Amino acid sequence: MLGGMQDFELRVPRLIEHAAREHGRREIVTRWADGSKTRTDWAGIERDARRFAQALVRLGLRPGDRVATLAMNHAHHLAAWYGAIGMGGVIHTINPRLFDDQLVYIANHAEDRVLLYDRAFQPLVDRLRDRFTTIEHYVIMDPGSQSGAGGEGDSTFRALVDAEDGEFAWVEGPERDPCMLCYTSGTTGNPKGVLYTHRSSVLHALAEIQPAVFDLDTRSVLLPIVPMFHAAAWGLPFAGAVAGCKFVFSAVNDPPVLCDLMNRERVTTSAGVPTVWLGLFAHMDATRISPEHLRLVTIGGSAAPRAMIERIMRMGVRVNHAWGMTETSPIGTMGARSPDWDRLAFDQQVDQVAMQGRAPFGVELRTVDDEGVVLARDGRSSGRLQCRGPWVIGRYFKAEEAATDADDWFDTGDVALLHPDGTMQITDRAKDVIKSGGEWISSVELENAAVGCPGVAEAAAIGIYHPRWDERPLLLVVRKPGSMVSEAEITAHLGDHVAKWCLPDAIVFVDELPHTATGKLLKTALRERYKDYRLAAA
Amino acid sequence: MLGGMQDFELRVPRLIEHAAREHGRREIVTRWADGSKTRTDWAGIERDARRFAQALVRLGLRPGDRVATLAMNHAHHLAAWYGAIGMGGVIHTINPRLFDDQLVYIANHAEDRVLLYDRAFQPLVDRLRDRFTTIEHYVIMDPGSQSGAGGEGDSTFRALVDAEDGEFAWVEGPERDPCMLCYTSGTTGNPKGVLYTHRSSVLHALAEIQPAVFDLDTRSVLLPIVPMFHAAAWGLPFAGAVAGCKFVFSAVNDPPVLCDLMNRERVTTSAGVPTVWLGLFAHMDATRISPEHLRLVTIGGSAAPRAMIERIMRMGVRVNHAWGMTETSPIGTMGARSPDWDRLAFDQQVDQVAMQGRAPFGVELRTVDDEGVVLARDGRSSGRLQCRGPWVIGRYFKAEEAATDADDWFDTGDVALLHPDGTMQITDRAKDVIKSGGEWISSVELENAAVGCPGVAEAAAIGIYHPRWDERPLLLVVRKPGSMVSEAEITAHLGDHVAKWCLPDAIVFVDELPHTATGKLLKTALRERYKDYRLAAA
């Protein structure tokens, strides 16, 4: 051989080792569900992680085994991730907001052997314990005194960890070993598991701390509002270790608690779905208290309304608009500022942030039409968004077939267009697009325009069979309390925002709309409910 | 198999593909040696790189073959790197400042098949052509009309590239394939080759763009003053592609040219060894013209004097003090700001920057004493600095044995101490330490204190044999022009800065001091010259 550089497997335990060694005293603060607050640091998290790894070995777990969590964001959850992964296991974060049948399917499909859960989920655990076929050990994660009927015999995370001495060497192995399992909560069929590897998680974490993405260094104080059971809290528990930043976790997402934590702990950086920011705004309006130290807010999970982006930017806070999915670890694009940012007017800056941003190194994007022909990056041609890269899924857990085509392209199910400068703009979910006479009408565009109409609380657009046009839009509207907004008023408002041929053929007022466990509109249920609806003009 | 994420080899051509695809219009500006200025962009660099790769194949080169450059920083050099690497070759950057015998040794040892050179090095090429035993093709890189006697028959980079159509698919292969070869100019023995791999270069580039290191995104305008033949210009040509930043290259390092480029091209970020900043200061003092858009300056290669750091910081520019070597790709540590930075007084901030900073994720550091015992990170225990990680050398090119111990620790030859917060502080080169009665006296500390004395231009401290103490310091001083500073005055000055037992036993005034090709003090020559020197007290 000629010579060369060192071997160094990209394994997740190296992240916690780095954080403990180089940033050992940087704090990890938790505000627990019972209102108490505790402080540890990266050295403390590593100590707990090693002891938890020992405890898992004592319970008989072997490398590759799955360790499940039903838990909110807190220091024990963080230590459990690094401990389970460090003993060679696979941490499996279950979304407690799923329906019972989904929870049972997921835990059994994953063959989880241990379930770590927060006291808040004791009723859930008691209800489903008999249906979980593979779980041998139940462990209560968070401190507190309240406990349900069935939890008396379950051990606690603290007791397990305190029984060990921490003399544990991280399990070594190839960097393509699995380390984490996250199920997607699709709107149809059973949830599917995405199996992250050590390599994909480390590369994703390295990419995340760059200035154009989460912009993290040891000076950052990071409060991830996105739960650790949503695509690994967007990978932040790994990225935070690379950067050595201070973490502030809250096990509850009440706006007053979050705002108070942000100010007391001097939080610089936060990340969450659009609804959490709406809650925070309401709190700010009611109390006149604002987060004082915020510097960067990332909004993802679903598209951020323009007014939300504008409001945060007017607070002097940088806004990143992110796009991704569980299958992409999840960072696909990030709305970083362009080279000409400083020369743009404020409205132009908001326009830029309102799009989904650009792909960092590692992610490759393209759009294709219905025949699979690759579309131009012209800012006009909308098509199915596909992506590939080292933190993009290859195959779902236990699936027989690849999740991609032969060239590794993963079809995201989103419809988007790419601008010449690489900026990506989501226009719709592929299955929600309304196909009218060979043209595509974006349901998202109609819904966004409709909620901008005074008196409209929420709206959903779906395609209804039409003998001539194949499909035409039906708009379902939930009025705000007390509002009497009419179909004509909404149509007039829409006329100012969408092309005439995209206007809905009918508007139906409803009391509420169905949602998925993660808060997204459940369009499948709507399409089923209105499948026999006949448009007047048809 | 269970499922998992996609395969994606970390290959250097992915960097240029990313830059061309996502940041294709971001500019690459060159100020050539002949005074002309050209502009291309990342898409243009990729086009040239693919055509150059085709040209190399046409010349008969095969994957693994070495392509050498004797060139300054410019767009053709950048395209040549990506082209040679993209055809599976190994780019070999030769330092033109080396002595003839070293140049001949290096080119022959590397078995270079092609030599790309700038017109300025035509005399060198003409002089050594007959002694280069493996070079088959000579290519002039830069535009211009001046050419030497022997260069008439050599082809030019532009002509080679323009003859191709760019229809070339990058050569695929394992990420641990070599991509680049850099020789270290040691002070003893033959130069040794460090063989970077695709994997090490990509990981290093990903690490470099993070906020705590070079802090690069597409808004950055980067002028690397460090030459591309010095540890790959500290990896910036790769990092710049990851970030998609604008590059400004200057083929000459005259302060007026650099300062003019910085202002015209709105350079935000620069990097170079201490001497270039001294030159820039003199220009600023003489003309009252300063770089207006600089935001971050990185100083490395050798330790930056405190006064230099202070002056740049007073310009409102962030200063990063870096430590590394060719064997570490080269980033070992970077002087990023600590969490409490904003609460520090200016002097404390300068103190912090004056140290060598902290290890980013991927680099692990330790210090050991003469018996190999690992020392505490206590900010006091000085010992030999060792490091390991994915971009640290495993084995020198063609070497029989590893460059590391069995646990991958590479001994850097530096003497340093580690502070409790992970900050590393270089105290000396191991071979330059003066060992007095079992204690170590830092030659660097003596030299830095001496050059702070009015009238002293340069100083070198070496150990002289002493019958009782084993070694005692001798200080060699070059006076500033016209200065008559005395031994007593220097000793008095030193007494304010170093411990009494570290004061030199004698001071000798000399007209000049010997330097290596890269401008470092040639202590081996000094020790040889003064080996028979007898201290008066001995």
Side-chain angles (χ1 to χ4, degrees):
Chain A
M1 294 297 294
L2 291 171
M5 309 307 275
Q6 298 185 4
D7 277 327
F8 175 104
E9 292 293 289
L10 301 173
R11 298 273 297 187
V12 167
R14 302 221 188 243
L15 303 180
I16 185 70
E17 274 182 351
H18 166 80
R21 188 177 61 237
E22 306 299 339
H23 306 280
R25 303 300 304 274
R26 199 71 176 125
E27 282 187 310
I28 313 289
V29 179
T30 301
R31 197 282 192 186
W32 300 90
D34 68 0
S36 64
K37 197 159 151 186
T38 59
R39 315 181 86 84
T40 179
D41 54 24
W42 280 110
I45 295 292
E46 199 208 27
R47 266 194 310 277
D48 276 359
R50 285 195 199 265
R51 295 195 287 176
F52 182 59
Q54 281 180 297
L56 289 175
V57 171
R58 191 179 302 275
L59 291 176
L61 266 77
R62 293 178 301 270
D65 284 350
R66 269 76 71 193
V67 175
T69 63
L70 265 173
M72 304 305 291
N73 294 3
H74 49 64
H76 288 178
H77 203 170
L78 186 68
W81 280 26
Y82 283 110
I85 295 172
M87 63 74 62
V90 175
I91 192 83
H92 170 206
T93 50
I94 303 179
N95 181 350
R97 296 175 190 157
L98 296 178
F99 306 109
D100 283 5
D101 286 353
Q102 290 177 311
L103 292 167
V104 169
Y105 172 85
I106 285 174
N108 293 344
H109 186 261
E111 300 172 67
D112 296 322
R113 293 189 60 194
V114 175
L115 176 64
L116 309 166
Y117 66 94
D118 282 353
R119 289 168 196 275
F121 305 120
Q122 187 70 56
L124 185 162
V125 170
D126 292 341
R127 192 167 69 234
L128 301 181
R129 197 183 286 250
D130 291 342
R131 298 173 63 193
F132 291 143
T133 55
T134 62
I135 298 173
E136 301 157 44
H137 306 281
Y138 290 83
V139 180
I140 299 170
M141 287 203 103
D142 55 344
S145 53
Q146 72 276 34
S147 68
E152 305 296 343
D154 297 342
S155 50
T156 70
F157 183 82
R158 200 67 258 163
L160 271 184
V161 159
D162 286 347
E164 307 292 338
D165 63 9
E167 292 298 315
F168 183 85
W170 300 126
V171 171
E172 302 281 347
E175 63 191 28
R176 286 181 166 87
D177 274 355
C179 69
M180 191 161 198
L181 181 59
C182 302
Y183 281 76
T184 57
S185 52
T187 47
T188 55
N190 280 320
K192 288 180 282 189
V194 182
L195 196 63
Y196 299 151
T197 65
H198 288 262
R199 177 179 163 101
S200 72
S201 297
V202 171
L203 289 175
H204 184 256
L206 262 171
E208 278 192 314
I209 70 169
Q210 67 182 285
V213 184
F214 286 104
D215 196 22
L216 296 173
D217 65 20
T218 186
R219 302 172 74 207
S220 308
V221 182
L222 176 58
L223 193 167
I225 306 180
V226 54
M228 291 169 76
F229 53 76
H230 271 177
W234 301 348
L236 292 170
F238 298 135
V242 175
C245 64
K246 168 176 167 178
F247 259 118
V248 180
F249 290 116
S250 179
V252 296
N253 279 343
D254 299 338
V257 171
L258 293 175
C259 194
D260 183 61
L261 270 176
M262 285 181 177
N263 283 332
R264 281 181 199 273
E265 301 295 340
R266 307 176 81 87
V267 168
T268 61
T269 313
S270 190
V273 295
T275 48
V276 306
W277 305 112
L278 286 180
L280 213 59
F281 293 161
H283 173 73
M284 287 162 57
D285 291 339
T287 62
R288 303 277 147 204
I289 300 171
S290 296
E292 301 290 338
H293 307 279
L294 267 184
R295 205 169 53 77
L296 171 60
V297 154
T298 299
I299 311 178
S302 56
R306 195 187 152 87
M308 175 178 295
I309 292 167
E310 201 172 317
R311 174 155 184 181
I312 301 176
M313 284 174 64
R314 286 200 193 282
M315 291 162 60
V317 176
R318 173 178 158 198
V319 179
N320 271 355
H321 198 181
W323 169 85
M325 51 204 306
T326 303
E327 286 89 339
T328 62
S329 294
I331 297 303
T333 59
M334 187 61 88
R337 294 161 296 181
S338 59
D340 62 353
W341 177 265
D342 291 334
R343 295 194 295 278
L344 298 180
F346 182 78
D347 275 356
Q348 293 172 307
Q349 293 180 334
V350 177
D351 287 344
Q352 191 179 106
V353 176
M355 293 189 280
Q356 273 70 26
R358 306 164 86 166
F361 172 75
V363 176
E364 197 178 343
L365 301 174
R366 71 176 188 184
T367 50
V368 299
D369 68 13
D370 274 349
E371 279 73 47
V373 176
V374 178
L375 300 173
R377 293 182 165 229
D378 57 9
R380 287 177 285 109
S381 307
S382 192
R384 295 181 73 95
L385 179 67
Q386 303 186 327
C387 69
R388 62 181 181 186
W391 54 81
V392 176
I393 190 165
R395 191 151 48 85
Y396 288 104
F397 183 56
K398 293 184 179 177
E400 298 290 325
E401 295 184 357
T404 64
D405 69 14
D407 294 322
D408 279 346
W409 289 106
F410 170 72
D411 192 296
T412 65
D414 277 323
V415 175
L417 51 84
L418 291 166
H419 290 267
D421 76 345
T423 300
M424 192 270 285
Q425 188 178 357
I426 294 285
T427 51
D428 209 345
R429 289 291 297 170
K431 59 183 178 299
D432 297 337
V433 157
I434 299 157
K435 295 183 178 178
S436 172
E439 297 288 341
W440 289 6
I441 297 173
S442 162
S443 66
V444 170
E445 192 184 353
L446 280 175
E447 290 156 8
N448 283 349
V451 295
C453 178
V456 173
E458 193 176 14
I462 56 172
I464 295 292
Y465 169 75
H466 190 286
R468 177 168 174 198
W469 301 108
D470 192 19
E471 284 187 348
R472 287 296 302 162
L474 169 69
L475 189 71
L476 306 164
V477 170
V478 180
R479 288 194 184 99
K480 283 187 180 165
S483 157
M484 289 303 292
V485 63
S486 70
E487 179 167 355
E489 285 164 338
I490 295 172
T491 304
H493 174 85
L494 292 177
D496 292 339
H497 294 83
V498 302
K500 193 155 186 295
W501 64 272
C502 297
L503 288 175
D505 283 28
I507 296 178
V508 172
F509 293 99
V510 295
D511 292 336
E512 60 177 350
L513 289 166
H515 295 93
T516 68
T518 53
K520 294 172 185 168
L521 279 172
L522 193 58
K523 295 267 181 93
T524 43
L526 289 175
R527 279 191 286 265
E528 176 62 24
R529 193 178 302 166
Y530 290 93
K531 71 174 189 287
D532 297 325
Y533 186 90
R534 285 289 162 267
L535 295 166
Chain B
M1 294 299 293
L2 292 170
M5 309 308 275
Q6 297 184 5
D7 277 327
F8 175 103
E9 292 293 289
L10 301 173
R11 297 272 297 186
V12 166
R14 300 211 187 253
L15 304 179
I16 185 70
E17 274 183 351
H18 166 78
R21 189 178 60 236
E22 307 298 340
H23 306 281
R25 304 299 303 276
R26 199 72 175 125
E27 281 186 310
I28 313 290
V29 179
T30 301
R31 198 282 191 187
W32 300 90
D34 67 0
S36 64
K37 198 160 151 186
T38 59
R39 315 180 85 85
T40 178
D41 55 24
W42 281 109
I45 295 292
E46 199 208 26
R47 265 194 310 276
D48 276 359
R50 284 194 198 266
R51 294 194 287 175
F52 183 59
Q54 281 179 297
L56 289 175
V57 171
R58 191 178 302 274
L59 291 177
L61 266 77
R62 292 177 303 270
D65 283 350
R66 270 76 70 194
V67 175
T69 63
L70 265 174
M72 303 305 289
N73 294 2
H74 50 65
H76 288 177
H77 204 169
L78 185 67
W81 281 25
Y82 283 110
I85 295 172
M87 63 73 64
V90 175
I91 193 84
H92 171 208
T93 50
I94 303 180
N95 182 349
R97 297 176 192 158
L98 296 178
F99 306 109
D100 283 4
D101 286 352
Q102 290 176 311
L103 292 168
V104 169
Y105 172 85
I106 285 174
N108 293 345
H109 185 262
E111 299 172 67
D112 296 322
R113 295 190 60 196
V114 175
L115 176 64
L116 308 165
Y117 66 94
D118 281 353
R119 290 169 196 275
F121 306 119
Q122 186 71 57
L124 185 161
V125 170
D126 292 341
R127 191 167 70 236
L128 301 180
R129 196 183 289 249
D130 291 342
R131 298 174 62 193
F132 291 143
T133 55
T134 62
I135 297 173
E136 302 158 42
H137 306 282
Y138 291 84
V139 180
I140 299 170
M141 285 203 106
D142 56 344
S145 53
Q146 72 277 34
S147 69
E152 305 296 345
D154 297 343
S155 50
T156 69
F157 182 82
R158 198 70 256 162
L160 270 184
V161 160
D162 286 346
E164 305 294 336
D165 64 8
E167 292 297 315
F168 183 86
W170 301 126
V171 171
E172 302 281 347
E175 63 191 28
R176 286 182 168 86
D177 274 356
C179 70
M180 191 159 196
L181 181 59
C182 302
Y183 281 77
T184 58
S185 52
T187 46
T188 56
N190 280 321
K192 288 180 281 189
V194 182
L195 196 63
Y196 300 151
T197 65
H198 287 264
R199 178 180 164 101
S200 72
S201 298
V202 171
L203 290 174
H204 184 256
L206 261 171
E208 278 192 314
I209 69 169
Q210 67 182 286
V213 185
F214 285 104
D215 196 21
L216 296 174
D217 65 21
T218 187
R219 302 172 75 207
S220 307
V221 182
L222 177 56
L223 194 167
I225 305 180
V226 52
M228 290 169 76
F229 53 77
H230 271 177
W234 301 351
L236 291 171
F238 298 136
V242 175
C245 64
K246 169 177 167 177
F247 259 118
V248 180
F249 290 116
S250 179
V252 296
N253 279 344
D254 299 338
V257 171
L258 293 175
C259 193
D260 183 61
L261 269 177
M262 285 181 176
N263 283 332
R264 282 180 198 274
E265 302 294 339
R266 307 175 81 86
V267 168
T268 61
T269 313
S270 191
V273 296
T275 48
V276 307
W277 305 111
L278 285 179
L280 212 58
F281 293 163
H283 173 73
M284 287 162 56
D285 291 340
T287 62
R288 304 277 149 207
I289 299 171
S290 296
E292 301 290 338
H293 307 279
L294 266 184
R295 205 170 54 76
L296 172 60
V297 154
T298 299
I299 311 179
S302 56
R306 197 190 151 86
M308 176 178 296
I309 292 166
E310 202 172 317
R311 172 153 186 184
I312 302 177
M313 283 174 64
R314 286 200 192 281
M315 292 163 60
V317 176
R318 174 179 157 197
V319 179
N320 272 354
H321 198 180
W323 169 85
M325 51 205 306
T326 303
E327 287 89 339
T328 62
S329 295
I331 298 303
T333 59
M334 187 60 89
R337 294 162 294 182
S338 59
D340 62 354
W341 177 265
D342 291 333
R343 296 193 294 278
L344 298 180
F346 182 79
D347 274 356
Q348 294 173 306
Q349 293 179 336
V350 177
D351 287 345
Q352 192 179 105
V353 176
M355 294 188 281
Q356 274 69 23
R358 307 164 84 168
F361 172 74
V363 176
E364 197 177 343
L365 301 174
R366 71 177 190 185
T367 50
V368 299
D369 68 14
D370 274 350
E371 279 74 47
V373 177
V374 179
L375 300 173
R377 293 182 167 229
D378 57 8
R380 287 179 284 109
S381 307
S382 194
R384 297 180 71 93
L385 180 66
Q386 303 186 326
C387 67
R388 62 181 181 187
W391 54 83
V392 176
I393 191 164
R395 190 151 49 85
Y396 288 103
F397 184 56
K398 294 185 178 176
E400 297 289 325
E401 296 186 354
T404 65
D405 70 12
D407 294 323
D408 280 346
W409 289 105
F410 171 73
D411 194 295
T412 65
D414 277 324
V415 176
L417 51 83
L418 291 166
H419 290 267
D421 75 346
T423 300
M424 192 271 283
Q425 188 177 356
I426 293 285
T427 51
D428 210 342
R429 288 290 298 169
K431 59 183 176 301
D432 297 338
V433 157
I434 298 157
K435 295 184 177 177
S436 172
E439 297 287 341
W440 289 6
I441 297 173
S442 163
S443 65
V444 171
E445 192 184 352
L446 280 175
E447 290 156 8
N448 283 349
V451 295
C453 177
V456 173
E458 195 177 13
I462 57 172
I464 295 292
Y465 170 75
H466 190 287
R468 177 167 176 199
W469 301 109
D470 193 19
E471 284 186 347
R472 285 298 301 164
L474 169 69
L475 189 71
L476 306 164
V477 169
V478 181
R479 289 194 184 99
K480 283 187 180 166
S483 160
M484 290 302 294
V485 63
S486 70
E487 179 166 355
E489 285 165 337
I490 295 173
T491 304
H493 175 85
L494 291 176
D496 293 339
H497 294 85
V498 303
K500 192 155 185 297
W501 63 273
C502 297
L503 287 174
D505 283 27
I507 296 178
V508 172
F509 294 99
V510 294
D511 291 337
E512 60 177 349
L513 290 166
H515 296 92
T516 67
T518 55
K520 295 172 184 167
L521 278 171
L522 195 57
K523 295 267 181 92
T524 44
L526 288 174
R527 278 191 286 265
E528 177 63 23
R529 192 176 305 167
Y530 290 93
K531 71 175 190 289
D532 297 325
Y533 186 90
R534 286 289 165 264
L535 295 165

